Amino acid sequence: MVSRKITIGILVNLCRFVVALTFIFSGYVKAIDPLGTLYKLQDYLEVVHLSAYVSDYITLAVSVLLGGIEFCLGVLLLFAIRRRLVTRLLLFFMAVMTPLTLWLALDNPIEDCGCFGDAVKLTNWETFGKNVVLLAATVLLFMRPLAMPRFISRSNQWIVVNYTMLFILVSSSMSLYTLPPFDFRPYHIGANIRKGMEIPEGAKQPQFETTFILEKDGQRREFTLDDYPDSTWTFIDSKTVQTEAGYVPPIHDFSIQTTDGSEDITDSVLNHKGYSFVLVSPHFETASDANFGEIDAIYEYSLDHGYPFYALTASTDEAINHWRDITGAEYNFFLTDETTLKTVIRSNPGLLLLKDGTVIGKWSHNDLPGLDYKSPRLEDTEYGRMPEHSVTSKISQILLWYILPLMLLTFADRTWKFSQWIRKKEHSNRIYKLLKRKKNMRKKIVAGNWKMNMNLQDGIALAKELNETLTNEKPNCGVIICTPFIHLASIAQFLNQDVIGLGAENCADKEKGAYTGEVSAEMVKSTGAQYVILGHSERRGYYAETPEILKEKVLLALKNGLKVIFCIGESLEEREAGKQNEVVKAELEGSVFNLTEEEFKNIIIAYEPIWAIGTGKTATADQAEEIHAYIRSIIAEKYGQAVADDTTILYGGSCKASNAPELFAKPDIDGGLIGGASLKAADFMGIINAWK
């Protein structure tokens, strides 16, 4: 059984890599040549007679999206991100494409489906076979998505997703603005056009058969050259079909004619010794005229130095004349096949530089060479030499900008996950747990809540006395004083917050606005305060603060960099009814359990039994420990034991210097939120010193 499971896992991941790499390659070659993909989509639209109804802008957008989606799906599959969703999308994609390629194979309306752009040419039957294999692989991936191990943890997957989408969209945009970084077509830089047109000696020639349709005495018949009849028959039509394949040179449709069709100048252009500029525009009707000034400057430069300049197009005389009118073009125009021009360069217009019939430079109209009347001859410029940018250097750039960052991310993520695994193993060790519990590294805090007591002068005097005493005596715990709003800014000026933290007793549930009398979290933070008390029983009882109001206050406090002392606790009636656990859990769920784990680390819980505040009743140390342990357990249920172990939980029910040592000795009580006893320095110091 185990062996079978391992075998299936190996097969699933083999399919994963095959499908992922295929989609990455297919998507990338489409994405970096969006115009080439657009031309192929236009071929499909013409086959189904929809080309007149779909604009080029829509087709271009679809071509960019198609390449981007394929690339992103491949990367997501490779890294096993959103495994169920991605395998479903891949299965849907292949379920659509496989029947489509079967139709192409049977009917052959288009010779090349364009699935790998110009990088790899497949026959329609080869494409169908490839899709059958990919479909079978995606079915297996769809059935067993969880058999693919992740390369990146879930928490960091968003980085890969967003970086991949940004990378592929930027790649497409740059290819549209300039030219594709990789040129798989026969007119690439370094290609000699004349040699690309040659047929090797002894190469097999394609065979064609021409059929003639003739008519005589109202009767029509088909004839071949072998049985062509006498002159009494009238010619109607003819058709030529290829009967046997043969060698077809990479360049087989390149020709240049004058606009009136009277002269073919192909040989004179390709046989010219030296440099020639060739401006290419399949259609001047849709060509960009944004940079015509730079084109005219290059034409003037070519005249000054005796370099031929040709403008090749498939446009009508009307379109050529319109281009002349709007740009002032003085160069000569020649006719070349539209498909050929689209193959030569992915820009409209674009510029070629030939030397002895070899392409040594190609530029988009957005990235033309800086040549004008001040420039030296081409022999003395970088433009007149073959570029040094090799395929290897281009691949290296892709590795540098995309693959290397992802590899580093994967390595860092796996290292982080391994360290997490080590920590989990340590946590699972009972001895380690016991030692950690004994050591108890949670922060111990004694916080004073002055409530609505003391004027500004008395408050400053008390704060100064505490600041001086604690600076000299170095407490064994964290100390916080939470004062009325009017005290905050004044006390913050002289308080050493490395010794005593400063906090507010409340803040508003609104960020800003027409709320007379309210004080926002931003205002509290601006005074120099670090903490704020929220959810105090007096605010809940006297001012009807609901869990929803408190939830908003907590979020605003955290947003403005404040740490929250969040109060919970039950009334006397609730305690006597045995509902204390239910009450504190509901208060946490209503206002702070919506936070993320990282946000919750800025929460200090203060348990205040309302029934033990000003009632004459006192919670025993055991009662306090019992509810504190319960609070820690429900935090562990929500965020995990590690977060629960690090959460400081204070006791806030009539804590004095006399009972503080017994309370603080309990393992789940981490200090106190002190009311009346915090208004006198001696009383407050007595509680602080309980930690000693």
Side-chain angles (χ1 to χ4, degrees), residues 287-504:
S288 171
D289 59 2
N291 301 293
F292 73 87
E294 294 178 48
I295 296 173
D296 289 344
I298 293 171
Y299 171 65
E300 295 292 338
Y301 171 82
S302 70
L303 289 180
D304 291 343
H305 294 284
Y307 305 132
F309 190 103
Y310 308 94
L312 309 187
T313 185
S315 299
T316 62
D317 289 341
E318 182 181 357
I320 293 172
N321 290 330
H322 178 69
W323 179 263
R324 282 196 176 106
D325 292 339
I326 62 175
T327 66
E330 297 179 355
Y331 36 82
N332 294 322
F333 294 82
F334 300 89
L335 297 181
T336 300
D337 178 69
E338 172 191 355
T339 303
T340 301
L341 295 177
K342 289 179 178 179
T343 307
V344 169
I345 193 167
R346 299 299 201 217
S347 178
N348 187 20
L351 184 70
L352 266 67
L353 178 61
L354 304 181
K355 183 179 182 183
D356 302 334
T358 298
V359 181
I360 66 167
K362 294 176 78 169
W363 298 276
S364 160
H365 63 86
N366 292 313
D367 188 32
L368 292 167
L371 295 171
D372 55 28
Y373 67 94
K374 297 179 182 178
S375 303
R377 292 184 61 81
L378 285 172
E379 294 88 334
D380 301 321
T381 69
E382 60 177 321
Y383 304 116
R385 296 185 292 273
M386 191 74 70
E388 296 179 358
H389 299 297
S390 64
V391 173
T392 305
S393 67
K394 293 176 181 178
I395 293 175
S396 299
Q397 289 180 4
I398 297 172
L399 291 171
L400 180 65
W401 289 106
Y402 182 69
I403 298 176
L404 181 60
L406 288 188
M407 289 178 64
L408 292 175
L409 172 64
T410 303
F411 176 76
D413 183 79
R414 291 299 91 196
T415 303
W416 175 67
K417 289 298 289 183
F418 179 72
S419 65
Q420 274 196 328
W421 179 79
I422 293 294
R423 287 196 293 270
K424 285 181 180 179
K425 294 295 287 183
E426 289 175 336
H427 279 289
S428 67
N429 187 305
R430 301 184 71 177
I431 298 174
Y432 173 82
K433 279 189 174 182
L434 181 62
L435 290 173
K436 183 174 181 183
R437 187 172 182 83
K438 190 172 181 180
K439 192 174 182 182
N440 204 348
M441 297 302 291
R442 286 190 299 275
K443 188 172 184 180
K444 310 303 181 184
I445 295 174
V446 174
N449 177 16
W450 291 4
K451 305 190 180 183
M452 196 175 72
N453 293 295
M454 291 192 292
N455 59 35
L456 179 60
Q457 292 74 26
D458 292 342
I460 290 175
L462 174 58
K464 283 183 175 180
E465 183 179 357
L466 288 171
N467 189 68
E468 182 179 351
T469 302
L470 291 171
T471 299
N472 293 329
E473 294 190 11
K474 305 297 182 188
N476 285 1
C477 64
V479 179
I480 303 169
I481 54 173
C482 296
T483 76
F485 291 129
I486 65 164
H487 295 62
L488 291 174
S490 299
I491 290 176
Q493 292 179 18
F494 61 82
L495 200 66
N496 180 0
Q497 293 204 39
D498 291 332
V499 177
I500 305 179
L502 181 62

Side-chain angles (χ1 to χ4, degrees), residues 201-252:
E201 188 176 348
K204 184 179 179 181
Q205 300 292 318
Q207 301 297 316
F208 299 91
E209 182 177 78
T210 302
T211 303
F212 302 92
I213 302 173
L214 304 176
E215 184 176 7
K216 181 179 180 181
D217 300 331
Q219 182 184 7
R220 288 191 178 186
R221 286 182 56 189
E222 292 187 1
F223 299 91
T224 65
L225 285 173
D226 295 333
D227 60 353
Y228 197 88
D230 56 40
S231 58
T232 59
W233 288 80
T234 304
F235 175 82
I236 301 298
D237 197 3
S238 67
K239 57 183 179 180
T240 302
V241 296
Q242 185 174 336
T243 58
E244 191 174 345
Y247 177 82
V248 178
I251 300 176
H252 54 274

